[in-house]
Amino acid sequence: MMQPVQVGESVSRKVRRVVRNALIDMRFGPPLAVVYLRDRAQSNCDYRELEHAFSGRLDEADVLVDVGCGAGRVINHWLRSGVGSHIYGLEIDERMGAITKFRLRRRQDVSIVIGDAISNLPADGTVFFLFNPFDESTTRRFATAVLELAHAADRCVRVVYLNCKHLAVFEDHPEFEIEMVPHGPGAPATLQALAVITVGDRQGAKLAEL
Ligand SMILES: C[S@@+](CC[C@H](N)C(=O)[O-])C[C@H]1O[C@@H](n2cnc3c(N)ncnc32)[C@H](O)[C@@H]1O
């Protein structure tokens, strides 16, 4: 990612953040900033954001899906956290998808699927992560696909939505329960808005007919 100085972030903090991200990346391959050098319009998450987003939310049984996985930093984070029974990365950009697939080729617990995420949502997914990959109409298609998937599987599905610009799409549908996650005391001012969206009851109640 081309990592701009975020609003409210000093240069020294930015340097520390970029170095920390690179050091964590290197447990799983080269620093991911290298992958983004050729496409500066693309971006990826910061590990600090991911720690905030997922802390205490995932368990070993979850099937984790990064919707628009880019170079795969979110997948790195899940691998280092030891959560999830399987991890999917869905990426429409063929070059980016191929690089990520090659980097993670030895991981039996990771599948990278190249193509449109909405046409390829894994039926066994339980947690879907979005770092604002879509415009409003695509977010609407995604929300419909998640509802269909939850109903077909007859179980709870969660969407963890960072920088949730099109949250209104989910608010429009009564089956989605939305929790805005507070940043907590002492959190850096640079953290982005985070919503956890649930369809279906986590306790296992059956879903209504669509
Ligand atoms: C902002 S990046 C997020 C990367 C990664 N999830 C992260 O947080 O570090 C969004 C990614 O979504 C991908 N994308 C956009 N539309 C997509 C679609 N319809 N299907 C799959 N990937 C898509 C883009 O190519 C880009 O790599």
Side-chain angles (χ1 to χ4, degrees):
M1 169 193 186
M2 291 304 96
Q3 305 201 21
V5 176
Q6 296 172 354
V7 179
E9 183 179 47
S10 68
V11 172
S12 64
R13 244 180 202 279
K14 184 207 168 182
V15 169
R16 281 204 301 275
R17 177 168 61 82
V18 171
V19 169
R20 179 172 187 262
N21 283 341
L23 289 174
I24 299 172
D25 285 345
M26 286 163 70
R27 295 188 207 167
F28 304 96
L32 298 186
V34 173
V35 179
Y36 289 102
L37 281 176
R38 277 176 53 183
D39 188 352
R40 292 170 187 238
Q42 294 277 19
S43 62
N44 66 354
C45 270
D46 193 281
Y47 284 108
R48 185 183 48 181
E49 295 261 20
L50 297 170
E51 287 153 12
H52 170 64
F54 294 112
S55 173
R57 287 186 197 287
L58 305 178
D59 60 44
E60 288 167 11
D62 275 316
V63 174
L64 308 170
V65 186
D66 186 9
V67 181
C69 67
R73 180 166 284 163
V74 180
I75 298 172
N76 288 356
H77 174 71
W78 288 333
L79 289 171
R80 79 193 252 259
S81 306
V83 289
S85 58
H86 197 80
I87 295 171
Y88 293 92
L90 314 178
E91 177 53 53
I92 201 164
D93 181 305
E94 287 187 15
R95 184 187 79 90
M96 186 71 78
I99 290 171
T100 306
K101 193 169 190 159
F102 182 77
R103 181 173 67 81
L104 296 168
R105 65 195 178 284
R106 295 204 177 84
R107 299 271 175 181
Q108 302 291 315
D109 49 350
V110 176
S111 307
I112 304 298
V113 180
I114 301 171
D116 172 42
I118 299 166
S119 315
N120 290 298
L121 287 187
D124 56 345
T126 63
V127 177
F128 293 81
F129 176 69
L130 300 181
F131 178 33
N132 193 33
F134 301 141
D135 61 13
E136 185 181 342
S137 68
T138 313
T139 306
R140 206 168 285 286
R141 276 177 56 222
F142 171 76
T144 303
V146 166
L147 278 178
E148 286 171 359
L149 184 148
H151 279 263
D154 199 13
R155 61 171 160 68
C156 166
V157 170
R158 286 179 293 159
V159 177
V160 178
Y161 187 8
L162 180 63
N163 191 9
C164 43
K165 286 193 177 156
H166 304 298
L167 192 61
V169 164
F170 297 92
E171 289 167 342
D172 282 351
H173 200 292
E175 266 197 85
F176 289 116
E177 195 176 292
I178 298 173
E179 174 201 353
M180 291 307 299
V181 179
H183 287 163
T190 50
L191 287 183
Q192 302 174 82
L194 174 70
V196 177
I197 302 157
T198 306
V199 55
D201 184 340
R202 284 216 84 193
Q203 310 315 319
K206 300 256 177 203
L207 294 167
E209 288 297 307
L210 258 184

Short mmCIF file of all heavy atoms in Angstrom, two decimals, residues 6-53:
data_model
loop_
_atom_site.label_atom_id
_atom_site.label_comp_id
_atom_site.label_asym_id
_atom_site.label_seq_id
_atom_site.Cartn_x
_atom_site.Cartn_y
_atom_site.Cartn_z
N GLN A 6 -1.74 9.55 7.70
CA GLN A 6 -3.17 9.66 7.96
C GLN A 6 -3.42 10.93 8.76
O GLN A 6 -2.54 11.41 9.48
CB GLN A 6 -3.66 8.44 8.72
CG GLN A 6 -3.51 7.18 7.89
CD GLN A 6 -3.82 5.91 8.68
OE1 GLN A 6 -4.02 5.94 9.88
NE2 GLN A 6 -3.82 4.81 7.99
N VAL A 7 -4.65 11.45 8.63
CA VAL A 7 -5.01 12.68 9.35
C VAL A 7 -4.76 12.44 10.83
O VAL A 7 -5.16 11.43 11.39
CB VAL A 7 -6.50 13.02 9.10
CG1 VAL A 7 -6.88 14.28 9.88
CG2 VAL A 7 -6.75 13.19 7.62
N GLY A 8 -4.08 13.39 11.48
CA GLY A 8 -3.85 13.27 12.91
C GLY A 8 -2.65 12.39 13.26
O GLY A 8 -2.44 12.10 14.43
N GLU A 9 -1.87 11.97 12.27
CA GLU A 9 -0.74 11.08 12.54
C GLU A 9 0.57 11.81 12.27
O GLU A 9 0.76 12.38 11.20
CB GLU A 9 -0.83 9.84 11.63
CG GLU A 9 0.25 8.84 11.91
CD GLU A 9 0.13 7.59 11.03
OE1 GLU A 9 -0.06 7.76 9.81
OE2 GLU A 9 0.25 6.49 11.56
N SER A 10 1.48 11.77 13.24
CA SER A 10 2.78 12.42 13.05
C SER A 10 3.65 11.57 12.12
O SER A 10 3.38 10.38 11.93
CB SER A 10 3.47 12.60 14.40
OG SER A 10 3.82 11.32 14.89
N VAL A 11 4.68 12.19 11.58
CA VAL A 11 5.57 11.47 10.67
C VAL A 11 6.25 10.31 11.40
O VAL A 11 6.36 9.20 10.87
CB VAL A 11 6.61 12.44 10.05
CG1 VAL A 11 7.66 11.66 9.26
CG2 VAL A 11 5.92 13.45 9.17
N SER A 12 6.67 10.54 12.65
CA SER A 12 7.37 9.46 13.36
C SER A 12 6.44 8.29 13.62
O SER A 12 6.82 7.12 13.54
CB SER A 12 8.00 9.97 14.66
OG SER A 12 6.98 10.38 15.53
N ARG A 13 5.18 8.59 13.93
CA ARG A 13 4.20 7.51 14.12
C ARG A 13 3.99 6.73 12.83
O ARG A 13 3.86 5.51 12.82
CB ARG A 13 2.85 8.12 14.52
CG ARG A 13 2.39 7.73 15.90
CD ARG A 13 1.05 8.40 16.16
NE ARG A 13 0.79 8.50 17.56
CZ ARG A 13 0.32 7.52 18.31
NH1 ARG A 13 0.03 6.37 17.77
NH2 ARG A 13 0.12 7.68 19.59
N LYS A 14 3.92 7.49 11.72
CA LYS A 14 3.72 6.82 10.43
C LYS A 14 4.90 5.89 10.13
O LYS A 14 4.70 4.74 9.70
CB LYS A 14 3.59 7.85 9.30
CG LYS A 14 3.29 7.15 7.99
CD LYS A 14 3.74 7.89 6.78
CE LYS A 14 3.64 6.97 5.58
NZ LYS A 14 4.09 7.57 4.34
N VAL A 15 6.10 6.36 10.39
CA VAL A 15 7.28 5.53 10.13
C VAL A 15 7.21 4.26 10.97
O VAL A 15 7.41 3.15 10.48
CB VAL A 15 8.58 6.33 10.42
CG1 VAL A 15 9.80 5.41 10.40
CG2 VAL A 15 8.74 7.45 9.40
N ARG A 16 6.85 4.41 12.25
CA ARG A 16 6.76 3.23 13.13
C ARG A 16 5.71 2.25 12.61
O ARG A 16 5.89 1.04 12.60
CB ARG A 16 6.42 3.66 14.56
CG ARG A 16 7.62 4.21 15.32
CD ARG A 16 7.43 4.08 16.83
NE ARG A 16 6.26 4.76 17.34
CZ ARG A 16 6.22 6.06 17.66
NH1 ARG A 16 7.29 6.80 17.52
NH2 ARG A 16 5.12 6.61 18.12
N ARG A 17 4.58 2.82 12.15
CA ARG A 17 3.48 1.98 11.66
C ARG A 17 3.91 1.20 10.40
O ARG A 17 3.68 -0.01 10.29
CB ARG A 17 2.27 2.89 11.35
CG ARG A 17 1.08 2.19 10.76
CD ARG A 17 -0.15 3.11 10.76
NE ARG A 17 0.00 4.31 9.97
CZ ARG A 17 -0.16 4.39 8.65
NH1 ARG A 17 -0.46 3.29 7.97
NH2 ARG A 17 -0.02 5.52 8.00
N VAL A 18 4.56 1.91 9.48
CA VAL A 18 4.97 1.27 8.22
C VAL A 18 6.01 0.19 8.48
O VAL A 18 5.94 -0.91 7.92
CB VAL A 18 5.50 2.34 7.23
CG1 VAL A 18 6.13 1.69 6.01
CG2 VAL A 18 4.36 3.27 6.81
N VAL A 19 6.95 0.48 9.40
CA VAL A 19 8.00 -0.50 9.71
C VAL A 19 7.37 -1.72 10.38
O VAL A 19 7.69 -2.87 10.05
CB VAL A 19 9.09 0.14 10.60
CG1 VAL A 19 10.03 -0.93 11.16
CG2 VAL A 19 9.87 1.18 9.81
N ARG A 20 6.45 -1.47 11.31
CA ARG A 20 5.80 -2.60 12.00
C ARG A 20 5.04 -3.46 10.99
O ARG A 20 5.12 -4.69 11.00
CB ARG A 20 4.85 -2.06 13.07
CG ARG A 20 4.11 -3.16 13.82
CD ARG A 20 3.33 -2.61 15.00
NE ARG A 20 2.78 -3.70 15.79
CZ ARG A 20 1.53 -4.14 15.67
NH1 ARG A 20 0.68 -3.59 14.81
NH2 ARG A 20 1.12 -5.15 16.41
N ASN A 21 4.27 -2.81 10.11
CA ASN A 21 3.54 -3.56 9.08
C ASN A 21 4.49 -4.42 8.26
O ASN A 21 4.23 -5.60 8.00
CB ASN A 21 2.79 -2.60 8.14
CG ASN A 21 1.53 -2.04 8.76
OD1 ASN A 21 0.99 -2.59 9.72
ND2 ASN A 21 1.04 -0.92 8.23
N ALA A 22 5.61 -3.82 7.84
CA ALA A 22 6.56 -4.56 6.99
C ALA A 22 7.15 -5.75 7.74
O ALA A 22 7.30 -6.84 7.18
CB ALA A 22 7.67 -3.62 6.50
N LEU A 23 7.47 -5.55 9.01
CA LEU A 23 8.07 -6.65 9.79
C LEU A 23 7.08 -7.80 9.93
O LEU A 23 7.45 -8.98 9.83
CB LEU A 23 8.51 -6.15 11.17
CG LEU A 23 9.74 -5.23 11.16
CD1 LEU A 23 10.00 -4.67 12.56
CD2 LEU A 23 10.97 -5.97 10.65
N ILE A 24 5.81 -7.49 10.14
CA ILE A 24 4.81 -8.56 10.25
C ILE A 24 4.62 -9.22 8.87
O ILE A 24 4.59 -10.45 8.76
CB ILE A 24 3.48 -8.04 10.83
CG1 ILE A 24 3.70 -7.48 12.24
CG2 ILE A 24 2.44 -9.17 10.86
CD1 ILE A 24 2.48 -6.78 12.84
N ASP A 25 4.54 -8.41 7.82
CA ASP A 25 4.43 -8.97 6.46
C ASP A 25 5.52 -10.01 6.22
O ASP A 25 5.28 -11.07 5.61
CB ASP A 25 4.64 -7.88 5.40
CG ASP A 25 3.46 -6.95 5.21
OD1 ASP A 25 2.35 -7.27 5.67
OD2 ASP A 25 3.66 -5.87 4.60
N MET A 26 6.73 -9.70 6.68
CA MET A 26 7.90 -10.54 6.34
C MET A 26 7.87 -11.92 7.00
O MET A 26 8.64 -12.80 6.62
CB MET A 26 9.19 -9.79 6.64
CG MET A 26 9.43 -8.69 5.60
SD MET A 26 10.61 -7.46 6.10
CE MET A 26 12.11 -8.40 6.04
N ARG A 27 6.95 -12.12 7.93
CA ARG A 27 6.78 -13.50 8.45
C ARG A 27 6.13 -14.39 7.39
O ARG A 27 6.13 -15.61 7.49
CB ARG A 27 5.87 -13.49 9.68
CG ARG A 27 6.45 -12.74 10.85
CD ARG A 27 5.56 -12.98 12.05
NE ARG A 27 5.63 -11.88 12.98
CZ ARG A 27 4.78 -11.70 13.98
NH1 ARG A 27 3.79 -12.54 14.17
NH2 ARG A 27 4.91 -10.68 14.79
N PHE A 28 5.51 -13.74 6.39
CA PHE A 28 4.73 -14.50 5.40
C PHE A 28 5.20 -14.27 3.97
O PHE A 28 4.53 -14.65 3.02
CB PHE A 28 3.24 -14.11 5.51
CG PHE A 28 2.68 -14.30 6.89
CD1 PHE A 28 2.63 -13.25 7.79
CD2 PHE A 28 2.25 -15.56 7.30
CE1 PHE A 28 2.16 -13.44 9.08
CE2 PHE A 28 1.77 -15.76 8.59
CZ PHE A 28 1.73 -14.69 9.48
N GLY A 29 6.34 -13.57 3.80
CA GLY A 29 6.84 -13.27 2.45
C GLY A 29 7.42 -11.88 2.43
O GLY A 29 7.75 -11.32 3.48
N PRO A 30 7.49 -11.27 1.25
CA PRO A 30 8.06 -9.92 1.17
C PRO A 30 7.11 -8.87 1.75
O PRO A 30 5.90 -9.13 1.85
CB PRO A 30 8.23 -9.70 -0.34
CG PRO A 30 7.30 -10.65 -0.98
CD PRO A 30 7.09 -11.80 -0.05
N PRO A 31 7.64 -7.69 2.11
CA PRO A 31 6.74 -6.62 2.57
C PRO A 31 5.72 -6.30 1.48
O PRO A 31 6.07 -6.18 0.32
CB PRO A 31 7.68 -5.43 2.81
CG PRO A 31 9.04 -5.99 2.86
CD PRO A 31 9.04 -7.27 2.07
N LEU A 32 4.45 -6.18 1.85
CA LEU A 32 3.41 -6.07 0.82
C LEU A 32 3.41 -4.71 0.12
O LEU A 32 2.84 -4.58 -0.96
CB LEU A 32 2.05 -6.37 1.45
CG LEU A 32 1.92 -7.81 2.00
CD1 LEU A 32 0.50 -8.08 2.46
CD2 LEU A 32 2.32 -8.83 0.94
N ALA A 33 4.08 -3.72 0.71
CA ALA A 33 4.17 -2.42 0.02
C ALA A 33 4.78 -2.60 -1.37
O ALA A 33 4.42 -1.90 -2.31
CB ALA A 33 5.01 -1.45 0.86
N VAL A 34 5.67 -3.59 -1.50
CA VAL A 34 6.33 -3.84 -2.79
C VAL A 34 5.29 -4.19 -3.86
O VAL A 34 5.37 -3.76 -5.00
CB VAL A 34 7.35 -5.00 -2.63
CG1 VAL A 34 7.94 -5.42 -3.96
CG2 VAL A 34 8.43 -4.60 -1.64
N VAL A 35 4.29 -4.98 -3.46
CA VAL A 35 3.26 -5.43 -4.42
C VAL A 35 2.46 -4.23 -4.94
O VAL A 35 2.02 -4.21 -6.09
CB VAL A 35 2.32 -6.44 -3.74
CG1 VAL A 35 1.22 -6.91 -4.69
CG2 VAL A 35 3.10 -7.62 -3.20
N TYR A 36 2.30 -3.22 -4.07
CA TYR A 36 1.46 -2.09 -4.45
C TYR A 36 2.23 -0.99 -5.20
O TYR A 36 1.63 -0.02 -5.63
CB TYR A 36 0.79 -1.50 -3.20
CG TYR A 36 -0.29 -2.41 -2.64
CD1 TYR A 36 -0.06 -3.21 -1.52
CD2 TYR A 36 -1.55 -2.50 -3.25
CE1 TYR A 36 -1.05 -4.05 -1.02
CE2 TYR A 36 -2.53 -3.34 -2.76
CZ TYR A 36 -2.27 -4.12 -1.65
OH TYR A 36 -3.25 -4.96 -1.17
N LEU A 37 3.55 -1.18 -5.36
CA LEU A 37 4.34 -0.13 -6.02
C LEU A 37 3.84 0.15 -7.43
O LEU A 37 3.87 1.28 -7.89
CB LEU A 37 5.82 -0.54 -6.08
CG LEU A 37 6.61 -0.33 -4.79
CD1 LEU A 37 8.03 -0.86 -4.94
CD2 LEU A 37 6.62 1.13 -4.38
N ARG A 38 3.35 -0.92 -8.12
CA ARG A 38 2.91 -0.73 -9.51
C ARG A 38 1.50 -0.20 -9.62
O ARG A 38 1.05 0.14 -10.68
CB ARG A 38 3.01 -2.07 -10.27
CG ARG A 38 4.42 -2.30 -10.77
CD ARG A 38 4.55 -3.64 -11.43
NE ARG A 38 3.57 -3.87 -12.48
CZ ARG A 38 3.46 -5.01 -13.16
NH1 ARG A 38 4.27 -6.00 -12.90
NH2 ARG A 38 2.55 -5.15 -14.09
N ASP A 39 0.76 -0.21 -8.53
CA ASP A 39 -0.62 0.28 -8.59
C ASP A 39 -0.93 1.09 -7.35
O ASP A 39 -1.42 0.60 -6.35
CB ASP A 39 -1.58 -0.91 -8.72
CG ASP A 39 -3.00 -0.44 -8.99
OD1 ASP A 39 -3.23 0.79 -8.92
OD2 ASP A 39 -3.85 -1.28 -9.27
N ARG A 40 -0.63 2.38 -7.46
CA ARG A 40 -0.74 3.24 -6.29
C ARG A 40 -2.18 3.59 -5.94
O ARG A 40 -2.45 4.20 -4.91
CB ARG A 40 0.10 4.50 -6.49
CG ARG A 40 1.57 4.13 -6.50
CD ARG A 40 2.47 5.28 -6.94
NE ARG A 40 3.83 4.76 -7.06
CZ ARG A 40 4.87 5.24 -6.40
NH1 ARG A 40 4.72 6.24 -5.57
NH2 ARG A 40 6.07 4.72 -6.57
N ALA A 41 -3.13 3.22 -6.82
CA ALA A 41 -4.54 3.47 -6.50
C ALA A 41 -5.05 2.44 -5.49
O ALA A 41 -6.05 2.66 -4.81
CB ALA A 41 -5.38 3.41 -7.77
N GLN A 42 -4.35 1.33 -5.40
CA GLN A 42 -4.78 0.25 -4.49
C GLN A 42 -4.29 0.51 -3.08
O GLN A 42 -3.31 1.23 -2.88
CB GLN A 42 -4.22 -1.09 -4.97
CG GLN A 42 -4.78 -1.55 -6.29
CD GLN A 42 -6.12 -2.26 -6.12
OE1 GLN A 42 -6.78 -2.10 -5.11
NE2 GLN A 42 -6.51 -3.02 -7.11
N SER A 43 -4.93 -0.09 -2.12
CA SER A 43 -4.46 0.08 -0.75
C SER A 43 -4.76 -1.18 0.05
O SER A 43 -5.56 -2.01 -0.36
CB SER A 43 -5.17 1.27 -0.09
OG SER A 43 -6.55 1.02 -0.03
N ASN A 44 -4.10 -1.30 1.18
CA ASN A 44 -4.43 -2.41 2.08
C ASN A 44 -4.50 -1.92 3.51
O ASN A 44 -4.19 -0.77 3.82
CB ASN A 44 -3.48 -3.60 1.90
CG ASN A 44 -2.06 -3.31 2.30
OD1 ASN A 44 -1.71 -2.19 2.62
ND2 ASN A 44 -1.23 -4.32 2.26
N CYS A 45 -4.93 -2.80 4.38
CA CYS A 45 -5.16 -2.45 5.78
C CYS A 45 -3.87 -2.40 6.55
O CYS A 45 -2.87 -2.99 6.19
CB CYS A 45 -5.99 -3.55 6.43
SG CYS A 45 -7.70 -3.29 6.31
N ASP A 46 -3.98 -1.76 7.68
CA ASP A 46 -2.90 -1.67 8.65
C ASP A 46 -3.12 -2.78 9.69
O ASP A 46 -4.26 -3.04 10.07
CB ASP A 46 -3.11 -0.30 9.30
CG ASP A 46 -1.94 0.14 10.10
OD1 ASP A 46 -1.81 -0.35 11.24
OD2 ASP A 46 -1.19 0.96 9.59
N TYR A 47 -2.06 -3.45 10.12
CA TYR A 47 -2.25 -4.52 11.11
C TYR A 47 -2.94 -4.03 12.38
O TYR A 47 -3.71 -4.75 13.00
CB TYR A 47 -0.91 -5.18 11.46
CG TYR A 47 -0.41 -6.11 10.37
CD1 TYR A 47 0.67 -5.77 9.58
CD2 TYR A 47 -1.05 -7.32 10.13
CE1 TYR A 47 1.11 -6.62 8.57
CE2 TYR A 47 -0.62 -8.18 9.12
CZ TYR A 47 0.45 -7.82 8.35
OH TYR A 47 0.88 -8.66 7.34
N ARG A 48 -2.65 -2.78 12.75
CA ARG A 48 -3.27 -2.24 13.97
C ARG A 48 -4.80 -2.20 13.82
O ARG A 48 -5.54 -2.51 14.74
CB ARG A 48 -2.70 -0.82 14.18
CG ARG A 48 -3.11 -0.13 15.42
CD ARG A 48 -2.54 1.27 15.43
NE ARG A 48 -2.78 1.94 14.13
CZ ARG A 48 -2.38 3.16 13.83
NH1 ARG A 48 -1.70 3.86 14.68
NH2 ARG A 48 -2.65 3.70 12.65
N GLU A 49 -5.25 -1.82 12.60
CA GLU A 49 -6.70 -1.79 12.34
C GLU A 49 -7.28 -3.20 12.43
O GLU A 49 -8.39 -3.42 12.92
CB GLU A 49 -6.97 -1.28 10.92
CG GLU A 49 -6.57 0.14 10.67
CD GLU A 49 -7.72 1.12 10.77
OE1 GLU A 49 -8.76 0.79 11.38
OE2 GLU A 49 -7.56 2.22 10.23
N LEU A 50 -6.52 -4.16 11.92
CA LEU A 50 -7.01 -5.54 11.90
C LEU A 50 -7.08 -6.11 13.31
O LEU A 50 -8.01 -6.84 13.65
CB LEU A 50 -6.12 -6.39 10.99
CG LEU A 50 -6.13 -5.94 9.52
CD1 LEU A 50 -5.05 -6.66 8.73
CD2 LEU A 50 -7.50 -6.18 8.91
N GLU A 51 -6.09 -5.78 14.13
CA GLU A 51 -6.11 -6.24 15.54
C GLU A 51 -7.37 -5.69 16.22
O GLU A 51 -8.07 -6.40 16.94
CB GLU A 51 -4.83 -5.76 16.25
CG GLU A 51 -3.60 -6.54 15.80
CD GLU A 51 -2.29 -5.76 15.92
OE1 GLU A 51 -2.27 -4.69 16.56
OE2 GLU A 51 -1.28 -6.24 15.36
N HIS A 52 -7.66 -4.41 15.97
CA HIS A 52 -8.84 -3.79 16.55
C HIS A 52 -10.12 -4.45 16.02
O HIS A 52 -11.05 -4.74 16.78
CB HIS A 52 -8.82 -2.29 16.22
CG HIS A 52 -10.08 -1.57 16.54
ND1 HIS A 52 -10.56 -1.42 17.82
CD2 HIS A 52 -10.99 -0.96 15.74
CE1 HIS A 52 -11.68 -0.74 17.80
NE2 HIS A 52 -11.98 -0.45 16.55
N ALA A 53 -10.15 -4.72 14.73
CA ALA A 53 -11.37 -5.23 14.10
C ALA A 53 -11.71 -6.65 14.56
O ALA A 53 -12.88 -6.98 14.75
CB ALA A 53 -11.22 -5.21 12.58
#
